[in-house]
Amino acid sequence: MAADIKDITAAVDAASVMRLLPGRPRLLGLGEPTHGEDALLDLRNGLFRQLVEQEGYRTVAIESDCVRGLVVDDYVTSGTGSLDDVMERGFSHGWGAHAGNRELVRWMRAHNECRPASEQVRFAGVDGPLEITEAASPRRALTALHDLLAALVDASLLPCTAETLDRLLGPDDRWTDPAAMTDPSRSVGRSAEADRLRLLADDLVALLDTQTPHLVGAVSREDRDRARLYGRTAVGLLRYHHAMADSSPARMTRLCALRDLMMAHNLLALVERGPVLLHAHNSHLQRAKSTMRMWEGPVEWWSAGALVGVRLGAEYAFLTTALGTIGHRGVDTPAPDTVEGLLYALPEDRCVVDARRLAAALGDTPPAPRVSPWFGYAPLDPAHLTDTAGVVFVKDA
């Protein structure tokens, strides 16, 4: 079996990846089965550089706060701020502390220096302003959208004043209370103020859309894109807070689904300006339903990849990544009767495998999924091989 698999493997580079695809996709997803491993970040960085140089990709998007990501994009395109400050303020989930992300930002800034805007590479976060323990206040997104519109349209068209927004929002710690993640009664998401803010956010987005012809002549595309981002984020956050206040058994399913919906909306906006490499957890990229066991039990939802895949069809492709060992997490050599075990027997430290040919080689009864001793690593599911273009395998993290 190992010999058969070796015949369908290749080096992890842009040329090998493109040979797996019918054409250059507008959105290419590179999944990861766990977060924060330097080996996976280094692999992503190298592949992105090749995609830029050989295939014309211009944007890398990662599973990080979409609003914070604007800080990184400003730095890589214009040098605004310092690298240290950008790594601290431009990432969520603690991603700014990882050396691989720092190297990505450093390379992007060096690549862009002295290049015209049309040839520059761009950075984007695609996640909502969400952490596993809390969701951000909608203040930043709502006020930024209101401020932009107030500067460009007649005041009589605005659905409210900035003072009204401020009063309804109240203190930000009302929104970010970590206890609300596990106790719906602590959430303000279904208060009278939150309900009013949801209507106002909808009105502000509608105003932005109805004023598009005026805005095209009044502001740059960058400003229009940012206004749309603020609008999507405000609406998405208020939906998310509303779901946080839900006490029904479907609560966590709704929260996971709404998070991926925010990611999908951000991705569809990004591909309007050119091909994008997306780096996120495998569970956010797959076309099959995603599953996770939470403190309230198992949940299932459609991922961002499944959602954009419906819209983009063949112009969305993704590679799922699997790991052999993560020694410092107690994930040791995989059993030989798992897919990871078969790949681990190959001589290469890194390779990409044609997923459909791998599924065919495994036959009608594929191996059982590997069981990880550490909750932070999600093993490959052999049943989903035909949903992905390729499997990227890294022997040791």
Side-chain angles (χ1 to χ4, degrees), residues 68-150:
R68 285 194 182 198
L70 298 175
V71 173
V72 184
D73 192 52
D74 283 342
Y75 175 76
V76 301
T77 55
S78 64
T80 302
S82 67
L83 181 57
D84 286 342
D85 180 60
V86 166
M87 298 311 297
E88 181 177 348
R89 295 192 302 115
F91 292 83
S92 58
H93 311 324
W95 299 157
H98 293 287
N101 288 330
R102 187 183 184 90
E103 174 56 23
L104 173 68
V105 175
R106 186 208 63 76
W107 178 84
M108 292 177 74
R109 178 63 201 135
H111 175 90
N112 285 344
E113 203 148 17
C114 301
R115 277 185 165 86
S118 61
E119 296 177 11
Q120 289 189 341
V121 290
R122 306 291 299 271
F123 178 93
V126 294
D127 207 351
L130 309 170
E131 296 287 351
I132 193 64
T133 56
E134 65 186 55
S137 164
R139 175 183 300 279
R140 182 175 179 182
L142 269 177
T143 55
L145 177 58
H146 186 279
D147 289 350
L148 182 142
L149 288 169

Side-chain angles (χ1 to χ4, degrees), residues 12-335:
V12 185
D13 56 37
S16 298
V17 169
M18 289 300 154
R19 279 195 292 270
L20 297 175
L21 307 172
R24 186 187 72 172
R26 294 169 65 192
L27 178 61
L28 175 60
L30 175 64
E32 59 177 0
T34 187
H35 288 311
E37 292 299 328
D38 288 338
L40 301 183
L41 298 180
D42 290 345
L43 184 147
R44 175 206 63 194
N45 292 351
L47 181 60
F48 179 58
R49 288 194 293 268
Q50 292 180 356
L51 290 170
V52 169
E53 294 163 357
Q54 300 171 25
E55 299 293 336
Y57 278 71
R58 287 290 179 266
T59 300
V60 64
I62 75 166
E63 186 185 330
S64 184
D65 183 334
C66 56
V67 177
R68 285 194 182 198
L70 298 175
V71 173
V72 184
D73 192 52
D74 283 342
Y75 175 76
V76 301
T77 55
S78 64
T80 302
S82 67
L83 181 57
D84 286 342
D85 180 60
V86 166
M87 298 311 297
E88 181 177 348
R89 295 192 302 115
F91 292 83
S92 58
H93 311 324
W95 299 157
H98 293 287
N101 288 330
R102 187 183 184 90
E103 174 56 23
L104 173 68
V105 175
R106 186 208 63 76
W107 178 84
M108 292 177 74
R109 178 63 201 135
H111 175 90
N112 285 344
E113 203 148 17
C114 301
R115 277 185 165 86
S118 61
E119 296 177 11
Q120 289 189 341
V121 290
R122 306 291 299 271
F123 178 93
V126 294
D127 207 351
L130 309 170
E131 296 287 351
I132 193 64
T133 56
E134 65 186 55
S137 164
R139 175 183 300 279
R140 182 175 179 182
L142 269 177
T143 55
L145 177 58
H146 186 279
D147 289 350
L148 182 142
L149 288 169
L152 294 169
V153 304
D154 190 284
S156 64
L157 295 175
L158 294 168
C160 66
T161 64
E163 291 73 22
T164 297
L165 278 185
D166 185 63
R167 175 177 57 80
L168 292 170
L169 286 162
D172 285 347
D173 57 12
R174 295 172 64 228
W175 300 91
T176 58
D177 180 4
M181 181 52 73
T182 53
D183 183 357
S185 68
R186 297 290 295 269
S187 172
V188 298
R190 298 194 178 186
S191 63
E193 294 88 351
D195 287 344
R196 176 65 177 151
L197 285 167
R198 290 187 76 188
L199 291 173
L200 290 173
D202 184 70
D203 286 343
L204 286 167
V205 171
L207 178 59
L208 177 68
D209 289 341
T210 61
Q211 293 295 308
T212 298
H214 167 59
L215 297 178
V216 167
V219 297
S220 67
R221 178 176 178 176
E222 286 299 312
D223 287 339
R224 297 197 305 275
D225 285 348
R226 291 197 175 197
R228 291 168 61 200
L229 172 63
Y230 292 136
R232 291 193 304 274
T233 304
V235 169
L237 273 174
L238 287 163
R239 283 176 181 160
Y240 194 89
H241 280 289
H242 184 81
M244 286 183 74
D246 177 16
S247 59
S248 79
R251 178 176 184 265
M252 289 309 302
T253 296
R254 288 197 177 99
L255 290 175
C256 290
L258 287 172
R259 179 188 177 193
D260 272 74
L261 180 63
M262 292 178 73
M263 293 175 67
H265 286 163
N266 286 329
L267 288 167
L268 290 170
L270 283 175
V271 297
E272 291 179 7
R273 69 187 189 197
V276 176
L277 174 68
L278 166 64
H279 190 234
H281 197 279
N282 288 330
S283 63
H284 292 302
L285 303 187
Q286 65 191 41
R287 284 189 167 89
K289 265 194 171 180
S290 297
T291 61
M292 182 184 297
R293 179 164 292 278
M294 308 288 285
W295 55 86
E296 294 180 355
V299 295
E300 289 187 339
W301 74 99
W302 292 107
S303 74
L307 296 172
V308 299
V310 171
R311 292 281 295 275
L312 297 179
E315 292 188 298
Y316 171 60
F318 81 100
L319 307 169
T320 189
T321 298
L323 276 166
T325 71
I326 317 174
H328 60 284
R329 298 294 190 181
V331 180
D332 297 324
T333 304

Side-chain angles (χ1 to χ4, degrees), residues 340-379:
E340 287 93 337
L342 292 170
L343 297 174
Y344 198 83
L346 299 173
E348 293 82 9
D349 290 331
R350 299 177 178 183
C351 63
V352 60
V353 188
D354 185 317
R356 288 168 179 79
R357 294 176 66 186
L358 175 59
L362 295 174
D364 296 333
T365 55
R370 181 186 188 186
V371 177
S372 172
W374 176 50
F375 74 95
Y377 171 65

